[in-house]
Amino acid sequence: MALSNFIFTSESVSEGHPDKVSDRISDEIVDLFLKNDPQSRVAVETLCTTNRIVLAGEVRGPKEVTDEIIKETARNAVKDIGYEQEGFHWKNLEVICHIHAQSSDIAMGVDASANKDEGAGDQGIMFGYAVNETPELMPAPIVYAHKILESLAKARHLGEAPFLGPDSKSQVSLEYINGKPSTAKSIVVSTQHKDGIEQNEIREFVRKHVQEILPDNWMCEDNNFFVNPTGRFVIGGPDGDCGLTGRKIIVDTYGGAAPHGGGAFSGKDPTKVDRSAAYAARYIAKNIVASKLANKCLIQLSYAIGVSRPLSVYIDTFGTGQVDESKLSSTVQELIDLSPRGIRNHLDLNRPIYSSTAAYGHFGRDVRDGFSWEKIDLVDQLLSNF
């Protein structure tokens, strides 16, 4: 039996975290190729360390996208994030590019031909999740963890917090009563800062942002509010810690409240089901919860390389469902083509929309910013089937 009273914790990391710098660069390169050719194939990994970026991966796209343009794209991403420190400066860092052509063996299995539809780019399992505990139909701890860092980043970009650096992390622990979030039990925020700034000044600045983000009367007790608990965070970003694409997959999804299939999103064009099928699974789960057919919903999709249709479509509503789950699964498959091509067409994914996904989560975001998988346009169709 599931617990109804418990404490659950999720973390987020900012756009300036080393791994998120890598994700941002990889997704900027995806967007670069899609702008020039919406049918481009891209799988690019990024490593960031002290004043150095290393790019590697496989692409198939227009020749106009040269190594020099790719390198400049990486540099501009770092500039936009705001890194101008001695150990990691957008102007002075070295960018090394080892991107090469896509494997012909993979292309043969994935591409459409006269007698077969486009297949999945790899085997794998993907999960989607939704729950009615926030307006975004997302788990509350990850929503607030993201929003705290977004608020601090906005203040930094607007010049309201010149003493803050780009690198930061948050951790939010919420107490659940009868299965619903009720208050914060602890908040942890670590944020990079300029040398010489008093710890208490940073703490009070962060406190104001946390209080504005949390619902009224949700702030934790003061002895459970931790800001830069080591006492100093001047050296940050890739200068302090190496960053790699795809290392923050729980931050990117549901903060640990739902399973994860293991595949990262960033750096991959939407033909890769690691990305597109995870978006489709979230889309389905969110529409089911939005339709009030369940209070909570988990979707699992599975694929085989070169095969267009999912091997399985599993739905779990955790005992909150108003309809039979097997009927729900068959209905969903009638409403949506869950082949790689079908998902891309349904959600309009062959667009340069991915750089904005690289920080603060891929889910629970604004449809107007390109997050088409957050639409709830299936509600009426779902309800008409039950």
Side-chain angles (χ1 to χ4, degrees):
M1 180 179 295
L3 289 174
S4 59
N5 300 331
F6 56 91
I7 297 171
F8 193 82
T9 303
S10 294
E11 72 158 348
S12 180
V13 297
S14 73
E15 63 191 297
H17 184 280
D19 295 330
K20 282 291 147 197
V21 174
S22 294
D23 284 346
R24 170 69 178 275
I25 291 168
S26 292
D27 276 336
E28 289 281 4
I29 294 170
V30 171
D31 285 352
L32 172 66
F33 274 92
L34 293 178
K35 283 175 188 173
N36 283 272
D37 179 0
Q39 304 305 317
S40 294
R41 303 293 173 89
V42 186
V44 170
E45 315 296 335
T46 302
L47 178 148
C48 294
T49 187
T50 303
N51 272 332
R52 180 168 293 179
I53 293 170
V54 180
L55 308 172
E58 306 80 44
V59 299
R60 187 173 70 194
K63 295 179 180 178
E64 291 81 2
V65 181
T66 63
D67 282 1
E68 287 308 311
I69 293 173
I70 291 171
K71 291 178 182 180
E72 192 63 20
T73 297
R75 195 179 300 277
N76 287 338
V78 175
K79 180 180 181 181
D80 188 66
I81 291 168
Y83 273 112
E84 295 185 342
Q85 59 195 47
E86 183 179 353
F88 198 71
H89 195 299
W90 65 269
K91 188 182 294 184
N92 303 327
L93 57 80
E94 179 185 13
V95 183
I96 302 167
C97 186
H98 294 297
I99 295 172
H100 59 84
Q102 183 190 49
S103 161
S104 58
D105 287 353
I106 292 176
M108 179 178 66
V110 173
D111 288 350
S113 62
N115 61 350
K116 68 180 278 291
D117 193 7
E118 175 187 298
D122 201 353
Q123 70 178 49
I125 56 175
M126 298 85 204
F127 288 94
Y129 182 71
V131 61
N132 66 355
E133 61 190 44
T134 62
E136 298 88 352
L137 302 184
M138 285 284 288
I142 190 66
V143 167
Y144 296 125
H146 286 322
K147 287 185 174 182
I148 289 167
L149 296 186
E150 282 187 280
S151 182
L152 292 174
K154 182 178 180 181
R156 179 175 59 84
H157 283 295
L158 290 174
E160 298 170 0
F163 50 88
L164 293 184
D167 193 358
S168 59
K169 302 177 76 170
S170 65
Q171 186 169 286
V172 174
S173 299
L174 298 184
E175 183 175 23
Y176 282 67
I177 303 295
N178 295 322
K180 293 293 184 181
S182 63
T183 188
K185 294 300 288 184
S186 66
I187 304 287
V188 183
V189 178
S190 295
T191 178
Q192 186 184 10
H193 58 87
K194 298 282 180 66
D195 201 3
I197 303 299
E198 293 293 329
Q199 171 77 356
N200 193 57
E201 181 181 352
I202 298 170
R203 177 183 169 88
E204 293 311 307
F205 184 85
V206 170
R207 183 197 301 274
K208 180 183 71 172
H209 285 263
V210 171
Q211 289 175 328
E212 288 176 353
I213 293 300
L214 292 177
D216 290 344
N217 301 314
W218 273 38
M219 187 63 182
C220 62
E221 295 180 0
D222 198 59
N223 61 348
N224 288 322
F225 178 53
F226 304 96
V227 176
N228 288 2
T230 66
R232 177 182 169 87
F233 187 4
V234 173
I235 300 172
D239 186 30
D241 189 12
C242 181
L244 293 170
T245 302
R247 283 207 300 199
K248 289 293 177 284
I249 58 177
I250 300 303
V251 171
D252 286 343
T253 53
Y254 307 102
H260 194 293
F265 303 154
S266 291
K268 298 174 182 175
D269 74 78
T271 68
K272 277 68 171 176
V273 284
D274 273 346
R275 182 166 222 159
S276 57
Y279 291 173
R282 161 64 180 172
Y283 172 67
I284 296 166
K286 185 177 183 182
N287 275 269
I288 289 170
V289 174
S291 68
K292 296 183 169 54
L293 293 174
N295 296 331
K296 183 190 297 188
C297 183
L298 176 73
I299 310 288
Q300 185 204 58
L301 305 176
S302 68
Y303 291 84
I305 187 168
V307 179
S308 62
R309 293 289 172 178
L311 306 183
S312 64
V313 180
Y314 167 79
I315 297 180
D316 184 1
T317 56
F318 303 92
T320 71
Q322 304 300 308
V323 297
D324 179 72
E325 289 164 344
S326 61
K327 170 70 160 117
L328 197 52
S329 176
S330 61
T331 299
V332 162
Q333 293 175 75
E334 291 170 5
L335 294 177
I336 308 169
D337 178 358
L338 289 172
S339 68
R341 185 198 302 274
I343 292 170
R344 293 203 318 281
N345 290 342
H346 193 98
L347 297 178
D348 193 17
L349 296 181
N350 281 100
R351 298 175 291 147
I353 56 174
Y354 298 104
S355 63
S356 62
T357 70
Y360 313 118
H362 292 244
F363 307 126
R365 306 287 294 276
D366 196 323
V367 172
R368 293 169 295 182
D369 293 332
F371 295 77
S372 58
W373 48 94
E374 292 297 315
K375 295 185 296 184
I376 50 172
D377 56 355
L378 280 184
V379 169
D380 290 342
Q381 295 178 71
L382 283 167
L383 292 174
S384 70
N385 280 272
F386 296 99

